[in-house]
């Protein structure tokens, strides 16, 4: 089970236990997760296709939405199929290298998801505060560079997780009480000192999550000031309505994220472990499931595109900033 080197004991594989304490209910727990995953895949792939297919949706707001959809569907695909294998077929083993790879992609993609939400807030700021310069500021080149920068930020900040985790000695065993390889869940299996992992994880959370939240808050503060200064009630309503989908996406993403982060570090003994595991899975599944639904309901242009696609009718797209 273990392969030794000069500095540590490295397990050949880990065993993911699923949801500890609820093993008898694994099949029932899997059903809503499977349903949510199917909705996430169909909804996000549908959004990506619709935005790519409809020329009227070739605008910065929808490019960022397509990037968010791609990130979301990739994120949940890194964990859910493996989780369903645990629940349905009791296939709990995961190769050590595979575990590190899953850990990297989970944290990199969640960081990228946060970054894309921040970029979407900046998009709404430019659209509402500088509507006449919107197309010239957010060009295709700027959007591509912003997306690439968000991706590279995630890769550079998360990649050290793999080295910090790999260096630890795993002499206590190889059982991980989780459904996927989370950084701190893996580190806590170690019999070594993982304080560096905890400190670096906190630093990354500050550099990604807190930074993005501050940018989002600053963007919406300036948006609110600009909207309040409008004299027309209809203009204020229209400006706010273009932000509602994004605000819903922020709430859906950050509420379970902060719950998972803080309970993992500060409330581990006061909250049952199976609750923490379920919420951690919802944190990865809820945004990919709900974002296509929210944007489909709240965004008129996407509703019109779906109707056009399903019915084969010509629909005149409404143009918003």
């Amino acid at each position: 089970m273990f392969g030794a080197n000069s500095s540590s004991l490295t397990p050949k594989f880990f065993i993911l236990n699923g949801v500890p304490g609820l093993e008898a209910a694994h099949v029932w727990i899997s059903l809503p997760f499977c349903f949510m995953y199917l909705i996430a895949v169909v909804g996000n792939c549908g959004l990506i296709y619709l935005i790519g297919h409809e020329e009227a949706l070739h605008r910065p707001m929808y490019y960022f939405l397509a990037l968010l959809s791609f990130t979301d569907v990739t994120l949940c695909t890194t964990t859910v199929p493996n989780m369903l294998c645990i629940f349905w077929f009791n296939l709990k083993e995961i190769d050590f290298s595979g575990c590190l790879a899953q850990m990297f992609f989970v944290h990199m993609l969640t960081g990228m998801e946060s970054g894309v939400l921040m970029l979407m807030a900046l998009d709404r700021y430019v659209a509402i505060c500088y509507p006449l310069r919107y197309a010239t500021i957010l060009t295709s080149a700027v959007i591509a560079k912003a997306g690439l920068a968000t991706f590279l930020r995630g890769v550079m900040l998360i990649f050290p997780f793999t080295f910090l985790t790999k260096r630890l000695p795993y002499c206590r065993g190889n059982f991980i009480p989780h459904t996927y390889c989370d950084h701190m869940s893996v580190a806590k299996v170690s019999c070594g000192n993982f304080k560096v992992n905890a400190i670096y994880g906190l630093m990354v959370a500050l550099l990604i999550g807190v930074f993005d939240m501050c940018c989002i808050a600053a963007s919406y503060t300036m948006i609110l000031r600009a909207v309040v200064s409008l004299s027309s009630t209809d203009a204020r309503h229209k400006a706010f309505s273009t932000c509602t989908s994004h605000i819903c996406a922020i709430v859906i993403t950050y509420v379970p994220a902060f719950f998972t982060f803080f309970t993992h570090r500060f409330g581990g003994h006061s909250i049952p472990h199976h609750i923490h595991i379920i919420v951690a899975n919802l944190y990865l599944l809820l945004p990919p499931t709900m974002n296509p639904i929210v944007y489909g309901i709240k965004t008129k242009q996407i509703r019109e595109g779906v109707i056009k696609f399903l019915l084969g009718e010509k629909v005149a797209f409404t143009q918003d900033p």
Side-chain angles (χ1 to χ4, degrees), residues 3 36 44 52 61 88-89 98 124 129 138 151 171 175 183 202 204 208-209 228 241 244 247 263 265 314-315:
M36 291 172 69
N44 286 288
M61 172 183 174
W88 290 346
F89 309 114
R124 291 298 83 205
C129 297
L138 291 177
F151 170 74
C171 47
F175 290 87
H183 173 227
L202 184 61
V204 170
I208 294 180
V228 170
S241 66
T244 53
I247 293 172
T263 57
R265 284 162 176 79
K314 291 185 177 180
V315 178

Side-chain angles (χ1 to χ4, degrees), residues 33 36-37 40 76 80 83 281-290:
F33 284 142
M36 291 172 69
Y37 178 63
C76 60
V80 176
M83 177 181 66
N281 281 280
L282 288 176
Y283 161 51
L284 300 184
L285 256 178
L286 195 61
T289 303
M290 294 303 299

